[in-house]
Amino acid sequence: MEYTILIILLPLVSFLVLGLTGKWLSHRTAGGIGTAVLAAVTVLSYVTAWEYFTMPRLADGTLATVTPYNMVWLPFTASLHIDLGLLLDPISVMMLVIISTVSLMVHIYSFGYMKGEQGFQRYYAFLSLFTMSMLGLVVATNIFQMYLFWELVGVSSYLLIGFYYTKPAAVAASKKAFIVTRFADLGFLIGILIYGFYAETYTFSPDTVTLMKAGGMIPLALGLMFVGGAGKSAMFPLHIWLPDAMEGPTPVSALIHAATMVVAGVYLVARMFPLFVGYAPDVLHWVAYVAAFTSFYAAAVACVQSDIKRVLAFSTISQIGFMLVALGVCTSTNPHEGGLGYMAGMFHLFTHAMFKALLFLCAGAIIHAVGSNEMTAMGRLWKKLPVTHITFLIACLAISGIPPFSGFFSKDEILAACFGFSPLMGYTMALIAGMTAFYMFRLYYGIFWGTPSENSSKHLHEAKAMSIPLIVLAAITCVAGFIPFGHFVSADGTRYDIHLEWSTIQLSIEVAFFAIVLATVMYANRTQPVADQLQRRFKKLWTAAYHRFYIDEAYQFVTHKIIFGCISRPIAWFDRHVVDGFFNFLAWSANAGSDSIRTLQSGQIQQYAFVFLLGTLAIILFLLL
């Protein structure tokens, strides 16, 4: 599989070519180069997946871990060194397929969405850098290499979110995303250093004896690593950057939310899963608790948002929570005895990537047509945008867990794993699944049915370049649930046959059906008296949820009033008046002293001779006395 190195090199070359020569290229040429390169990467990823998953299994029934390339980059000791290479195993190969597929759809879609935009070539260069960074992250052979590409993902997301750099809101959003994730990544880096020191390696499979000697330092290291993952995957309270990231172009939102940046934290926990289960099970369970709370919080906020991209943003936060809950409720690496959540979480990562990319690209098509993000500018658009309407509905059914769409199968497995962990966790996640169906169909009815707007009577059109990716992703969403995912990815690497538990299926479908019916009653008609009455009755709760329960305001208060006002400002005063004052005094003393003695260096030979003579006479008189 030596050809797999091209999966990383091709988008890197595309970034360099477009970044250095883009201003001399036409929009069509620049977009064609970027898209052609991603098409080649996608073909290589699918060939890699076919070759890898069809290779003979080992004697224990697992697929071999393949390392086509590996080199020592920074040697420290005989056992501790940082390598650079490519690692292929079930989850990394799966991620290659997801990232390349979604990125290719975004590249094709952007031909229509970004047509005529200033900086079109720069946009495609940044897309290539982003894709290369994420591909490098998932095939990293060690945790330090993963961290390097992790930071490249952060840089490229900063560039893409702030693509419209003339808009203050976009600049503020890109800085917010960069700063919040940098704070989280500090924890990640400290965790890596602790891990390397005590495990005596940066690989993902350290020596068992060494780990036993490390004691409680390995759980500490893994917990700090998850802080970095929580930042990238927007877990509470580090979630505040993700909704504001909507200021970037909508295709960028699809790329970030579907298969790349926000799932990096999920991938990190999955990659380190054997260490979490074996040496830090309590930390793993706390991952589940944090993710469950985040998922509920995000779902509650999504129920009242009016900006369609922000609804989808909070939906992403909630769905990432589902994936991390699935990983966190695992108690072993045996899929039949406590390890079901691993497969379920990875399966949901796969299905969610497709229908969430579809949702964002549909949102982009809607925004492109009506010129607004607000649902008040939409309504009764189902005849105006038929392709977008059908594909959006398919994605809504999938994320709501309605069979036979892909989200039903993966979400059902997550609920089964949660009930296996504890009934409380199972019912909590079932409730959140119902909330998901409710806010998604509230969004669907607000756009395509509900109250008509002035745009409902206008002539709107759908661009062919934007419709093709919608149809492809909708087709994948319809069939992806029937993939025997457990045959390829499982907690212990062996084949696992997915067993649908009818009690869980019944609960899941009933909850989703009730939520959809409720949303239909409240929002499908031209008027929404029930929704309006509830909003008036629970106005304070509605307002708090609309303002994200004032978490952003709390951060602003803590940073500006407490940190800046009570800590930074006194330190700045001390620096200006005490530290600077002391060194200014030293400078003044030196200047004053030099002014008082500079007449001794006049440059006049007569004066020097006179002083020399006086000095000589003084010495003679001193000696005579």
Side-chain angles (χ1 to χ4, degrees):
M1 295 185 174
E2 289 81 5
Y3 61 84
T4 51
I5 190 68
L6 295 175
I7 296 175
I8 308 297
L9 293 181
L10 285 177
L12 175 60
V13 172
S14 174
F15 164 68
L16 294 174
V17 170
L18 295 177
L20 295 175
T21 66
K23 65 179 181 180
W24 294 292
L25 301 176
S26 67
H27 287 195
R28 183 179 295 272
T29 302
I33 291 173
T35 305
V37 167
L38 253 296
V41 169
T42 303
V43 170
L44 289 173
S45 297
Y46 276 81
V47 170
T48 301
W50 174 264
E51 185 175 348
Y52 181 81
F53 287 121
T54 57
M55 66 171 31
R57 291 179 175 260
L58 302 177
D60 59 359
T62 63
L63 289 164
T65 298
V66 181
T67 309
Y69 287 92
N70 195 55
M71 58 172 285
V72 176
W73 179 42
L74 293 175
F76 298 113
T77 65
S79 60
L80 185 62
H81 47 82
I82 299 176
D83 297 354
L84 292 179
L86 299 176
L87 184 147
L88 302 178
D89 68 349
I91 59 172
S92 64
V93 174
M94 175 200 72
M95 289 299 297
L96 290 180
V97 171
I98 294 173
I99 295 166
S100 59
T101 301
V102 173
S103 184
L104 178 61
M105 294 300 104
V106 169
H107 275 72
I108 296 173
Y109 180 91
S110 296
F111 261 105
Y113 190 88
M114 300 296 291
K115 184 178 180 179
E117 287 278 4
Q118 185 178 3
F120 186 90
Q121 302 92 329
R122 172 169 54 90
Y123 170 81
Y124 270 89
F126 291 164
L127 283 185
S128 296
L129 175 63
F130 192 102
T131 305
M132 183 276 296
S133 302
M134 195 65 201
L135 291 168
L137 187 155
V138 299
V139 298
T141 60
N142 59 85
I143 191 67
F144 219 108
Q145 182 185 345
M146 178 186 284
Y147 180 76
L148 296 178
F149 283 97
W150 186 282
E151 294 304 312
L152 278 175
V153 169
V155 170
S156 50
S157 65
Y158 168 81
L159 296 172
L160 285 170
I161 295 169
F163 175 76
Y164 297 120
Y165 60 86
T166 56
K167 293 174 55 180
V171 174
S174 62
K175 291 192 295 185
K176 189 175 185 179
F178 190 77
I179 292 170
V180 171
T181 53
R182 292 293 73 70
F183 273 106
D185 291 350
L186 176 61
F188 188 16
L189 178 59
I190 295 173
I192 290 173
L193 296 176
I194 294 174
Y195 173 80
F197 182 82
Y198 286 96
E200 299 180 4
T201 183
Y202 289 114
T203 64
F204 300 118
S205 53
D207 180 72
T208 304
V209 176
T210 305
L211 290 179
M212 295 300 291
K213 293 179 181 178
M217 300 309 294
I218 297 302
L220 174 62
L222 293 173
L224 288 170
M225 289 183 195
F226 175 67
V227 172
K232 276 288 192 290
S233 292
M235 291 293 100
F236 188 91
L238 300 172
H239 66 283
I240 58 172
W241 67 270
L242 191 57
D244 291 346
M246 299 301 97
E247 294 295 337
T250 301
V252 170
S253 302
L255 192 60
I256 290 176
H257 286 249
T260 52
M261 184 173 179
V262 295
V263 299
V266 181
Y267 182 79
L268 171 66
V269 176
R271 172 58 70 198
M272 309 297 287
F273 180 75
L275 295 177
F276 273 105
V277 169
Y279 301 94
D282 291 337
V283 176
L284 188 63
H285 299 333
W286 272 106
V287 169
Y289 303 142
V290 171
F293 176 81
T294 303
S295 188
F296 177 79
Y297 163 82
V301 174
C303 287
V304 300
Q305 296 299 304
S306 59
D307 184 321
I308 64 173
K309 288 178 67 176
R310 293 193 187 278
V311 174
L312 296 179
F314 281 102
S315 170
T316 298
I317 297 173
S318 185
Q319 295 302 302
I320 295 298
F322 265 89
M323 301 172 203
L324 286 170
V325 165
L327 292 170
V329 297
C330 290
T331 54
S332 75
T333 56
N334 186 331
H336 302 279
E337 300 176 3
L340 172 61
Y342 180 91
M343 186 281 299
M346 293 296 97
F347 194 15
H348 198 58
L349 191 158
F350 176 76
T351 60
H352 173 266
M354 303 306 167
F355 60 68
K356 183 51 64 71
L358 175 57
L359 285 168
F360 267 107
L361 295 185
C362 284
I366 297 162
I367 294 168
H368 189 266
V370 304
S372 174
N373 292 20
E374 293 292 326
M375 278 191 279
T376 53
M378 303 168 193
R380 297 284 163 176
L381 298 180
W382 66 275
K383 285 185 179 180
K384 305 290 183 180
L385 306 171
V387 175
T388 305
H389 168 239
I390 295 299
T391 53
F392 193 91
L393 177 59
I394 290 172
C396 286
L397 292 169
I399 196 173
S400 300
I402 300 299
F405 301 100
S406 60
F408 161 74
F409 296 94
S410 57
K411 190 168 288 187
D412 183 75
E413 293 299 305
I414 292 177
L415 292 178
C418 290
F419 276 108
F421 180 73
S422 77
L424 177 60
M425 183 65 80
Y427 285 114
T428 298
M429 300 313 295
L431 170 64
I432 298 171
M435 295 170 68
T436 302
F438 174 80
Y439 67 68
M440 286 308 304
F441 273 85
R442 170 183 174 268
L443 180 64
Y444 165 73
Y445 288 124
I447 296 171
F448 296 104
W449 298 89
T451 305
S453 68
E454 61 179 15
N455 290 306
S456 305
S457 58
K458 293 181 179 178
H459 174 69
L460 306 178
H461 71 282
E462 297 175 306
K464 183 178 293 185
M466 296 164 64
S467 298
I468 293 174
L470 303 186
I471 295 171
V472 172
L473 290 170
I476 296 174
T477 299
C478 290
V479 302
F482 298 99
I483 296 174
F485 194 83
H487 288 191
F488 308 114
V489 178
S490 66
D492 61 359
T494 60
R495 292 178 183 270
Y496 175 77
D497 292 315
I498 295 176
H499 302 286
L500 297 177
E501 298 184 11
W502 290 108
S503 59
T504 306
I505 290 175
Q506 182 179 359
L507 174 64
S508 175
I509 294 177
E510 287 176 353
V511 168
F513 181 76
F514 174 79
I516 293 172
V517 170
L518 181 61
T520 303
V521 171
M522 292 177 63
Y523 299 104
N525 299 318
R526 290 178 176 267
T527 59
Q528 293 92 37
V530 177
D532 295 339
Q533 183 179 357
L534 289 174
Q535 180 178 339
R536 288 192 298 269
R537 185 172 182 179
F538 301 100
K539 185 173 179 59
K540 290 185 177 180
L541 179 61
W542 186 93
T543 304
Y546 184 81
H547 289 93
R548 314 175 197 179
F549 294 100
Y550 304 105
I551 301 298
D552 287 72
E553 286 79 359
Y555 270 106
Q556 289 290 331
F557 177 80
V558 171
T559 54
H560 287 77
K561 299 295 184 180
I562 298 177
I563 297 178
F564 293 165
C566 300
I567 300 176
S568 300
R569 193 164 294 148
I571 292 176
W573 183 92
F574 182 83
D575 179 65
R576 287 194 301 268
H577 293 85
V578 178
V579 178
D580 288 354
F582 173 71
F583 284 99
N584 289 339
F585 172 76
L586 292 180
W588 175 84
S589 300
N591 285 332
S594 62
D595 285 341
S596 64
I597 65 173
R598 67 179 181 177
T599 55
L600 298 178
Q601 297 291 334
S602 64
Q604 297 179 0
I605 297 177
Q606 297 90 335
Q607 181 181 359
Y608 293 163
F610 178 72
V611 173
F612 178 78
L613 180 60
L614 288 179
T616 303
L617 292 175
I619 293 172
I620 292 173
L621 291 173
F622 176 77
L623 293 175
L624 292 176
L625 296 175

